[in-house]
Amino acid sequence: MEQEQKNRMDAIRQGAENMRKLNLLSDTFASVALQDIDACQYVVRKILGRADIRIIDVKSQYRLLNLTAKDAILDAFAQDSTGRLVNIEIQRRDTKDHARRTRYYGSMIDKSVLDKGAEHKEFPDVYIIYISETDLWHGGETVYPVNKILGKSAIPYDDGKHVIFVNAAVDDGSEVAKMMQYFKKADPDDMSQGELSERVRYLKTEKGGYKEMCEVAEKIYEQGIEQGIEQGEMQKAKNMAINMHKDGMAEDLIAKYANVSIDLVKNWIALSLA
């Protein structure tokens, strides 16, 4: 038991040290950095070009529950003093359908507002800031705001949802580009980015920052253990379902005893036969 606890603490400490080496294009490190209100406010002000924005609340790795589909986990989810909601997403992987991903985030945020009893006319403005390592649209720009207009008239169409794509690959000399270059290094000795730099330096060099890193590493460690247990239980259910099918049991009864959906049982059986 003592050895198990020692291994656990060693893994957590190593995880904290590893996180300290990450930059702000890592959603893990960025989520910790941006859960600080001042650091998050600095990034939002810079990207939106609004020095008057005042962030009053921010949550990192915020889970929006969905009972009919997969949940959405937002890297940083903030609210300003006027009620505007801001979601900052860090996307390092070269995934596809970025536009639809932002659409999904927006729909989940809208749903969370509705779930709290708000009517459509009370919907707050939502800003989705999608930060990527590469230039997703290959247009040679650092910032791509999504502008909505009606037909050929150039009349702006404002539904309260705003999407801004930002990347760290293009350096156009703008203030946002300078911040994105900082994102790539997250050097604790570089204090050029105000409150964001202060937060990064705190996390990477100070005792209190190391403690925060350890707390995050512990959560990640525990989640890994839980996922391992869940995967192990699911594998047991799969093996049991296949054996029951071999014994001639009906698929609906297998689903009942395995406590899974009948579609999943059918898929397991089909794969085992293949």
Side-chain angles (χ1 to χ4, degrees), residues 15-31:
E17 289 295 341
N18 290 340
M19 277 192 286
R20 276 185 149 184
K21 298 174 184 176
L22 298 173
N23 63 23
L24 287 162
L25 291 172
S26 158
D27 57 359
T28 302
F29 184 71
S31 295

Side-chain angles (χ1 to χ4, degrees), residues 121-191:
K121 63 181 180 180
E122 299 171 326
F123 267 16
D125 276 15
V126 174
Y127 288 79
I128 300 174
I129 299 173
Y130 197 89
I131 299 175
S132 62
E133 186 173 28
T134 59
D135 181 5
L136 302 176
W137 306 106
H138 308 291
E141 299 179 33
T142 301
V143 181
Y144 297 92
V146 177
N147 299 315
K148 303 172 186 176
I149 59 173
L150 290 168
K152 299 178 181 179
S153 63
I155 297 173
Y157 175 76
D158 183 9
D159 59 359
K161 188 175 294 182
H162 312 274
V163 178
I164 303 100
F165 289 94
V166 185
N167 73 83
V170 178
D171 185 355
D172 59 10
S174 66
E175 289 300 309
V176 175
K178 291 176 184 176
M179 185 174 70
M180 287 298 101
Q181 298 311 302
Y182 175 81
F183 263 60
K184 290 198 289 188
K185 297 179 179 179
D187 181 355
D189 294 325
D190 180 352
M191 300 303 292

